[in-house]
Amino acid sequence: MTRYLSLILSLAAMQALLSCSDDDTYSDEAFLSDIVTVESTGEEGSCFTFRRYGDSPLVTLTAPGFQLDGKYVGKRVLLRYYPESGLPYTDGDIRPLAVSPVNCDTTVIRPVERYDWNADAVFLNSIWRSGNYINVHLRAVYSDKPRYFSLMVDSLTLTDAVPQVYLVHNTLGAPDSYMKEVYASFDITNVWSQGSCDGIEVHVNDSNLKKEIYTFNK
């Protein structure tokens, strides 16, 4: 396999980039958890956007006084928060609880037959489309060594009405270990924007749900 496939940055990287929780404070409020895009951040606060699922309306969340490192602008992160209005999935101010990094990348286009895309299974919890992103929540074998983890569009199907897409996972022979929680978000614009595309089928080597293909229609 070649180096164009992105490496999991760290399977242990679900610690918060910034946490606002207080261990001594109990709240019976229900917080929300979403994969979002960091649109801006600064001394005045941060702005996040996302679609709950599919082509649902774009939601804009504003966190006054909540600042992240500027390098995360334009990146996808896992945001845990309370909406100030009490209404879920509506524009408005929020109180962030924590922001955590996720693996984020763009779909790569290659002839899948040349690659061992299903070398190692994942334990899939959920997969969903959010606008031009495919998000996944899964567990994978922990290792401190890099591995290949990417979303690949089979180039031989790119101009089909339903291109075939594959979740590539290869630990490169790392020994078995415990399972670690992973969130990832893949930008599928390079296939979703094809004029011939009516939807995509995503193939996953999954040890949990025992389902290989997930269909997302326009």
Side-chain angles (χ1 to χ4, degrees):
M1 301 181 77
T2 53
R3 293 291 297 180
Y4 76 88
L5 286 174
S6 64
L7 302 176
I8 284 184
L9 299 179
S10 172
L11 284 178
M14 288 312 300
Q15 74 274 13
L17 294 173
L18 185 58
S19 177
C20 300
S21 61
D22 185 341
D23 293 338
D24 297 326
T25 301
Y26 172 78
S27 173
D28 58 3
E29 294 179 273
F31 68 83
L32 300 176
S33 180
D34 293 291
I35 295 178
V36 303
T37 300
V38 181
E39 297 291 348
S40 63
T41 189
E43 293 183 359
E44 295 183 356
S46 299
C47 178
F48 308 93
T49 61
F50 73 104
R51 298 184 191 275
R52 185 181 181 187
Y53 53 80
D55 295 311
S56 60
L58 187 70
V59 178
T60 300
L61 305 176
T62 304
F66 184 80
Q67 185 173 3
L68 293 169
D69 191 312
K71 70 181 182 181
Y72 290 104
V73 173
K75 303 295 186 182
R76 303 281 280 176
V77 297
L78 179 66
L79 174 66
R80 295 181 172 93
Y81 64 97
Y82 300 107
E84 292 284 16
S85 67
L87 300 175
Y89 306 113
T90 57
D91 296 347
D93 288 352
I94 61 169
R95 284 180 290 132
L97 178 63
V99 181
S100 303
V102 304
N103 293 279
C104 52
D105 201 1
T106 299
T107 46
V108 292
I109 302 172
R110 294 291 188 278
V112 72
E113 64 182 11
R114 299 181 183 178
Y115 301 91
D116 194 9
W117 73 272
N118 58 351
D120 295 287
V122 298
F123 188 96
L124 185 68
N125 291 307
S126 57
I127 179 170
W128 69 103
R129 183 174 70 86
S130 172
N132 279 17
Y133 294 93
I134 292 292
N135 297 330
V136 295
H137 175 205
L138 55 85
R139 287 192 291 159
V141 174
Y142 172 78
S143 172
D144 60 359
K145 305 298 184 183
R147 86 272 307 279
Y148 290 114
F149 181 70
S150 190
L151 199 63
M152 177 187 292
V153 182
D154 183 3
S155 59
L156 301 181
T157 70
L158 180 61
T159 58
D160 290 355
V162 184
Q164 301 301 297
V165 181
Y166 298 80
L167 183 66
V168 178
H169 183 224
N170 188 338
T171 64
L172 303 177
D176 289 343
S177 183
Y178 63 91
M179 303 290 280
K180 193 71 179 179
E181 187 175 44
V182 179
Y183 285 87
S185 187
F186 299 96
D187 185 343
I188 61 170
T189 301
N190 57 6
V191 59
W192 197 253
S193 63
Q194 295 286 325
S196 57
C197 180
D198 293 332
I200 60 174
E201 290 184 343
V202 180
H203 299 250
V204 183
N205 181 13
D206 175 29
S207 63
N208 178 31
L209 304 177
K210 307 301 183 182
K211 179 179 178 180
E212 180 184 337
I213 299 176
Y214 295 84
T215 302
F216 301 95
N217 296 315
K218 283 191 175 180

